[in-house]
Amino acid sequence: MTTILGISAFYHDSAACLVRDGEIIAAAQEERFTRVKHDHNFPLLAARYCLKEAGLTAEQLDFVGFYDKPLLKFDRLLETYLDYAPSGFRSFLKSMPLWMKEKLWMPDLIRTEMAKANGIDDERAAKKAGKKFEWKLLFGDHHESHAASAFYPSPFEEAAILTIDGVGEWATSSIGIGKGNEITLLKELRFPDSLGLLYSAFTYYAGFKVNSGEYKIMGLAPYGEPKYAALIKDKLAEVRDDGSIRMNHEYFSYSQGLRMTNRAFDRIFEGPPRRSESKITQREMDLARSIQVITEEAMLKMAAHAHKETEIKKLCMAGGVALNCVANGRLLREGPFDDIWIQPAAGDAGGALGIALAIWHRYLGKPRTSPEKAGTWVNGTGGAGGPRRGSLAGVLVPPVNYAPDARAITVQGYADGMKGSYLGPQNSVSEIEAFLQTSNAPYKKYSREQLPEVVAQFLSEGKIIGLHQGRMEFGPRALGARSIIGDPRSSEMQSVMNLKIKYRESFRPFAPSVLREHVADWFELDYDSPYMMLVADVAAERRRQMSDEEKGLFGISKLNIKRSEIPAVTHVDYSARIQTVRRDTNPLYWEIIEAFRQKTGCPVIVNTSFNVRGEPIVCTPEDSYRCFMRTEMDYLVLETCVLDKKDQPEIAEKTDWRNEFKLD
Ligand SMILES: [Fe+2]
């Protein structure tokens, strides 16, 4: 038996992942345990959880892998600072002590932290104990870790690989090939030219937090017009035919400063960056649309180039920019690839998983039997070439045995290695009951068989429900294990959920969870999107025609128009960020939606992450109960225990909890 712990840390979204004999046993982000969003510290608690899930202590590990190479990154920082000296001196001084302390002495630090994960709290004792570990410590390249996270868990035997993010050591995008257990990276785009940093520069300029508010830009884009796209391409970033971009660094300051953009940037867009929390205007919407359009163009071109270089019809993706599900949806519809699989933890958290799998397959040379090669089709329509897009509609599929307890079925009916990304902690009913009893929280316990019907009834009455069941998701999306759910047919649901539950801007759309069997009847998509990584339009026959007066509306005033039969999940341009749900991947979630469909004829529900604005997604029953009590949710489902808000005692909090979380 070989056990490997993968770690990503010290940039943003620290995470740990445990792989045993090539199987992903556990993976989680540190933020879920520390309750600090995008926590970048060593993932002590996540590592501790992973060890516990595997029944191991830190001594018993064979390998520990770190997702990038700190010395190479240091080399890039130093060189960049020297290039721009003395203008970047302030940020140089600010970041160097951290580098010296944490990053350059990484091997020692990792050993000490692993001793702490083992339960030794005292720093000196941990340092001493850390030196005695016999496991081998290995470092991967940042983009190789992303590439490994994209390819190894994918269902494909052979695929083109595309990784796109802000920056790792030097690379900002890479193109490669995965075949069997081998990954070969063919090309890379290097810092400071970076599609991810270009997008982040606009996130910053529009007044949102970098490395966290990017998805708001994507959500805001449909309200705007691409007014600035030509200007951006003319002045800021040339998009070449191969998808590489060349940026004009006169307008950016991320190489030398703490800001992303500079005064020259302000001049061409005629004003300073929007102040965080100030009113969002049409200008931000137009900027968002403009940068989104350019990102889509670059991604489509990059993908076309990757296809040309590899001549393979399947694509795997990872890196923060692969979370741009609007671009991904276009890639599936318009791109050269027949099949696309995207790592759900596409950002740096997924690097922990990538390095662990890379040690198993690349370093140790262990073979990889892809589901595609093993022929584990699940719907009986496999064979030469396999079923094409659309062939799975209406087919209920039996479970498949890929890895020992694999439950995930993704692209075109192939199992992948991610187990639905349900890789985090789970709570037993007895544990939950003990917590509820000590908290004096009244609840009603149902049988597992009764539960879907009970929850579906609440949904059909317009109630909003916190759903905490099964293992917590790995990656930024809630996929029905730690989700808030509601009825998408209600025209008020979007604003109620935004304002009374999430306490956030009203422009943000919600995502639908839809039964895989029915997705094509409700959306312009007939493809697996288990990780909410694809955006497609609501089906034409489900849309509502707008009056001429409504068509003439601009910007945010479009928000309150009922656009379809499922307005709560229909964006202003009719698009939706879709999660398809299969029974074998998440049985309870599937059964809840199916029970709702039987009641209402609608196989779609609203799914938003179980948290309030700025808070990491809930992890424990305590987190869920606290969030439930602080918001206007009607019911809380903790496995088979159901709590009605009306029955709960008042909880008195000394301070305003809204100040607890930094806004993103
Ligand atoms: Fe990255």
Side-chain angles (χ1 to χ4, degrees):
M1 190 174 76
T2 305
T3 51
I4 305 165
L5 187 79
I7 285 165
S8 79
F10 305 129
Y11 186 44
H12 58 97
D13 270 330
S14 295
C17 170
L18 198 131
V19 167
R20 185 172 58 205
D21 290 342
E23 184 194 349
I24 304 167
I25 300 297
Q29 290 126 284
E30 184 71 356
E31 62 161 25
R32 305 290 164 88
F33 303 95
T34 59
R35 313 306 299 153
V36 176
K37 190 133 178 165
H38 304 302
D39 197 339
H40 66 274
N41 290 300
F42 186 90
L44 185 69
L45 300 176
R48 191 176 284 172
Y49 154 69
C50 286
L51 289 169
K52 189 176 150 209
E53 190 70 48
L56 296 172
T57 62
E59 290 90 352
Q60 291 168 310
L61 290 166
D62 297 296
F63 293 91
V64 173
F66 192 77
Y67 85 128
D68 72 4
K69 291 194 172 141
L71 277 172
L72 272 179
K73 207 186 242 179
F74 182 71
D75 171 59
R76 192 243 308 157
L77 285 181
L78 200 60
E79 201 169 301
T80 311
Y81 284 127
L82 291 176
D83 269 357
Y84 287 90
S87 68
F89 198 58
R90 201 164 62 92
S91 74
F92 181 82
L93 283 183
K94 196 172 164 182
S95 57
M96 277 310 105
L98 188 73
W99 270 96
M100 304 309 268
K101 184 166 166 274
E102 283 188 343
K103 305 181 192 185
L104 291 181
W105 288 314
M106 196 76 89
D108 282 352
L109 182 102
I110 290 174
R111 289 180 169 278
T112 308
E113 294 296 315
M114 286 305 295
K116 290 184 195 165
N118 233 7
I120 302 176
D121 290 333
D122 178 69
E123 185 74 31
R124 281 177 72 178
K127 213 168 193 169
K128 213 169 146 195
K131 288 201 169 84
K132 293 192 185 136
F133 287 130
E134 285 173 12
W135 35 258
K136 198 169 176 128
L137 177 62
L138 297 167
F139 292 84
D141 280 329
H142 189 102
H143 274 256
E144 280 176 11
S145 296
H146 277 316
S149 80
F151 177 65
Y152 289 132
S154 84
F156 308 137
E157 176 61 18
E158 188 180 43
I161 305 170
L162 190 55
T163 67
I164 319 173
D165 70 355
V167 62
E169 294 97 1
W170 280 100
T172 63
S173 303
S174 70
I175 291 174
I177 293 185
K179 190 175 181 185
N181 69 347
E182 264 306 309
I183 287 177
T184 313
L185 292 184
L186 305 171
K187 286 189 169 182
E188 62 182 38
L189 182 69
R190 296 192 137 212
F191 183 86
D193 294 317
S194 163
L195 186 58
L197 289 175
L198 179 67
Y199 205 87
S200 293
F202 279 85
T203 304
Y204 167 84
Y205 188 69
F208 302 114
K209 211 167 155 188
V210 170
N211 286 330
S212 130
E214 279 73 7
Y215 67 107
K216 293 187 183 177
I217 294 286
M218 193 177 71
L220 207 52
Y223 293 103
E225 301 296 326
K227 270 171 66 170
Y228 303 105
L231 180 68
I232 295 169
K233 284 209 272 183
D234 186 35
K235 297 262 191 209
L236 302 184
E238 177 197 346
V239 180
R240 292 165 172 158
D241 287 344
D242 62 2
S244 65
I245 60 167
R246 186 175 173 78
M247 291 165 70
N248 184 346
H249 298 285
E250 277 171 37
Y251 296 99
F252 301 92
S253 50
Y254 55 75
S255 293
Q256 71 271 40
L258 299 169
R259 298 176 56 195
M260 293 293 290
T261 58
N262 60 17
R263 291 218 176 87
F265 191 102
D266 298 354
R267 267 195 298 280
I268 60 166
F269 293 104
E270 295 169 351
R274 170 184 159 260
R275 284 218 321 275
S276 154
E277 300 305 303
S278 65
K279 192 172 182 291
I280 295 169
T281 65
Q282 190 61 43
R283 181 164 168 268
E284 280 76 49
M285 298 175 198
D286 293 340
L287 283 164
R289 179 70 186 277
S290 306
I291 193 60
Q292 177 63 29
V293 163
I294 287 167
T295 302
E296 289 167 23
E297 181 189 330
M299 279 179 77
L300 281 165
K301 284 181 170 169
M302 256 187 225
H305 185 63
H307 177 248
K308 206 172 127 212
E309 291 283 307
T310 61
E311 296 178 346
I312 302 173
K313 296 292 269 179
K314 296 172 197 298
L315 175 71
C316 299
M317 287 204 293
V321 181
L323 293 168
N324 195 311
C325 39
V326 176
N328 298 343
R330 277 193 67 188
L331 207 54
L332 181 66
R333 287 189 299 277
E334 302 168 32
F337 293 98
D338 288 344
D339 287 308
I340 298 178
W341 189 87
I342 303 156
Q343 164 57 240
D348 280 1
L353 191 148
I355 181 63
L357 289 173
I359 290 172
W360 177 252
H361 291 298
R362 296 191 82 184
Y363 183 82
L364 296 171
K366 299 287 185 186
R368 167 180 175 267
T369 308
S370 66
E372 189 178 34
K373 195 168 183 188
T376 45
W377 288 111
V378 290
N379 62 353
T381 54
R388 294 268 60 84
R389 208 168 291 174
S391 61
L392 289 176
V395 179
L396 201 62
V397 296
V400 55
N401 296 316
Y402 162 44
D405 65 341
R407 293 179 299 167
I409 311 289
T410 70
V411 175
Q412 300 296 17
Y414 281 129
D416 69 14
M418 289 297 292
K419 303 179 179 177
S421 217
Y422 303 112
L423 297 166
Q426 178 170 16
N427 306 99
S428 68
V429 176
S430 54
E431 201 181 323
I432 288 166
E433 284 195 275
F435 159 70
L436 292 174
Q437 282 156 14
T438 50
S439 310
N440 294 320
Y443 65 96
K444 205 166 162 185
K445 198 170 151 189
Y446 291 91
S447 72
R448 169 64 181 77
E449 288 67 39
Q450 290 170 313
L451 196 63
E453 173 64 26
V454 170
V455 179
Q457 181 61 33
F458 295 152
L459 287 171
S460 70
E461 292 165 7
K463 305 292 190 227
I464 298 173
I465 300 150
L467 180 63
H468 173 130
Q469 58 101 12
R471 294 183 70 179
M472 182 179 74
E473 302 88 346
F474 179 51
R477 305 278 164 258
L479 302 168
R482 302 289 183 277
S483 289
I484 300 172
I485 56 176
D487 183 347
R489 300 168 305 157
S490 147
S491 18
E492 290 85 49
M493 191 55 77
Q494 180 172 352
S495 64
V496 171
M497 273 183 141
N498 268 324
L499 300 173
K500 295 188 174 174
I501 312 282
K502 306 284 282 194
Y503 300 101
R504 68 181 191 188
E505 306 95 322
S506 63
F507 72 83
R508 308 267 304 281
F510 288 105
S513 289
V514 55
L515 299 179
R516 176 61 183 93
E517 298 86 338
H518 297 280
V519 65
D521 298 336
W522 288 76
F523 301 96
E524 304 286 335
L525 181 82
D526 197 354
Y527 201 78
D528 288 275
S529 179
Y531 306 124
M532 219 185 255
M533 288 292 195
L534 297 173
V535 163
D537 286 348
V538 171
E541 60 273 24
R542 303 284 175 188
R543 295 182 205 166
R544 184 184 151 269
Q545 284 309 313
M546 281 195 271
S547 67
D548 288 343
E549 193 189 332
E550 288 171 336
K551 276 184 199 156
L553 291 173
F554 269 99
I556 214 95
S557 49
K558 290 179 188 166
L559 178 69
N560 296 321
I561 304 168
K562 188 173 173 179
R563 291 170 295 273
S564 77
E565 290 178 41
I566 40 175
V569 294
T570 308
H571 209 341
V572 288
D573 58 354
Y574 296 108
S575 68
R577 183 158 50 95
I578 300 164
Q579 180 197 5
T580 54
V581 181
R582 284 183 180 269
R583 188 174 204 167
D584 36 27
T585 311
N586 189 338
L588 178 60
Y589 198 45
W590 186 93
E591 285 169 40
I592 289 170
I593 307 172
E594 171 62 12
F596 182 70
R597 185 190 70 82
Q598 284 181 15
K599 274 185 198 307
T600 64
C602 176
V604 184
I605 63 171
V606 179
N607 170 14
T608 184
S609 52
F610 198 152
N611 59 350
V612 294
R613 189 183 166 194
E615 181 191 19
I617 297 176
V618 296
C619 177
T620 62
E622 289 88 332
D623 299 336
S624 298
Y625 185 68
R626 197 182 312 119
C627 187
F628 167 66
M629 291 304 290
R630 285 171 168 179
T631 63
E632 293 179 43
M633 262 180 259
D634 301 296
Y635 291 95
L636 172 63
V637 176
L638 291 169
E639 296 295 345
T640 49
C641 301
V642 178
L643 288 78
D644 184 335
K645 179 63 70 58
K646 292 193 295 292
D647 300 339
Q648 303 306 311
E650 290 263 320
I651 50 164
E653 294 195 75
K654 287 192 193 88
T655 52
D656 185 356
W657 61 266
R658 284 179 188 79
N659 301 328
E660 197 175 300
F661 305 110
K662 270 198 201 139
L663 297 176
D664 51 358

